[in-house]
Amino acid sequence: DSGVTQTPKHLITATGQRVTLRCSPRSGDLSVYWYQQSLDQGLQFLIQYYNGEERAKGNILERFSAQQFPDLHSELNLSSLELGDSALYFCASSAHSSGANVLTFGAGSRLTVL
Amino acid sequence: AQSVAQPEDQVNVAEGNPLTVKCTYSVSGNPYLFWYVQYPNRGLQFLLKYITGDNLVKGSYGFEAEFNKSQTSFHLKKPSALVSDSALYFCAVRASLSGGSYIPTFGRGTSLIVHP
């Protein structure tokens, strides 16, 4: 157990729907990162939060949004889902946001869009 | 743009033999380099990192990596492979984004298969 908790582990939904993925960072970590892993794109950075504020943005689609709450857990919202959104979504956390920190990853949420 | 490349999609090695998983990087300034491993149905786990200092970095599970500035490489190595080392290995570099923030950028991964 890495200490980073992601729910749900698996999610199957239909095109056009909206889902929310949840992440609880490791105790004491202030920074949360979201990554998307797919076979054709590899591991793509989506967005980072640090202590409740958005810190960095990657290749995140406008249909996707995220936030980090005062208790430091984070949610990734995916809307108007398309088949191509099927992927493994990882949350990772670190103590700080310098980029030199080691990331601790959760086990991922596997999203299947039918 | 800062990036890492893992030129091999798959590496096959016999148990007991030395293994090397290759990584090259492209950064401006001093590189911060990392290796992570992903076992099936699991998240990535940190193996080792290079920030500064000795070019040979030792990490978890007997792995080590050699930083070579002239060749812009950071290859992962292990003297004697185990079947249990079979997994997906990711090289990563600290990359700067617009606005001055830094995030780890990952290579596409190399599947290591260790044969008994």
Side-chain angles (χ1 to χ4, degrees), chain B residues 31-68:
Chain B
Y32 289 18
L33 297 159
F34 307 80
W35 276 102
Y36 287 79
V37 59
Q38 184 181 22
Y39 297 102
N41 301 314
R42 302 284 294 276
L44 280 70
Q45 297 176 37
F46 169 74
L47 279 179
L48 51 81
K49 70 177 180 181
Y50 172 85
I51 305 297
T52 186
D54 289 340
N55 290 341
L56 187 63
V57 180
K58 294 191 183 295
S60 307
Y61 313 120
F63 284 93
E64 57 190 27
E66 186 171 10
F67 171 69
N68 188 316

Side-chain angles (χ1 to χ4, degrees), chain A residues 33 35 37 39-43 45 48 55-57 88 90 97-103 105-107, chain B residues 32 34 36 38 41-46 49 51 88 90 93-94 97 101-108:
Chain A
Y33 307 74
Y35 284 85
Q37 185 180 36
L39 284 176
D40 56 341
Q41 294 290 328
L43 200 63
F45 168 69
Q48 179 205 6
R55 183 58 63 97
K57 214 166 187 176
L88 195 52
F90 283 110
S97 66
S98 71
N101 296 116
V102 171
L103 300 189
F105 281 79
Chain B
Y32 289 18
F34 307 80
Y36 287 79
Q38 184 181 22
N41 301 314
R42 302 284 294 276
L44 280 70
Q45 297 176 37
F46 169 74
K49 70 177 180 181
I51 305 297
L88 193 55
F90 290 92
V93 65
R94 185 186 75 155
L97 298 181
S101 56
Y102 293 91
I103 56 98
T105 295
F106 289 82
R108 295 186 59 85

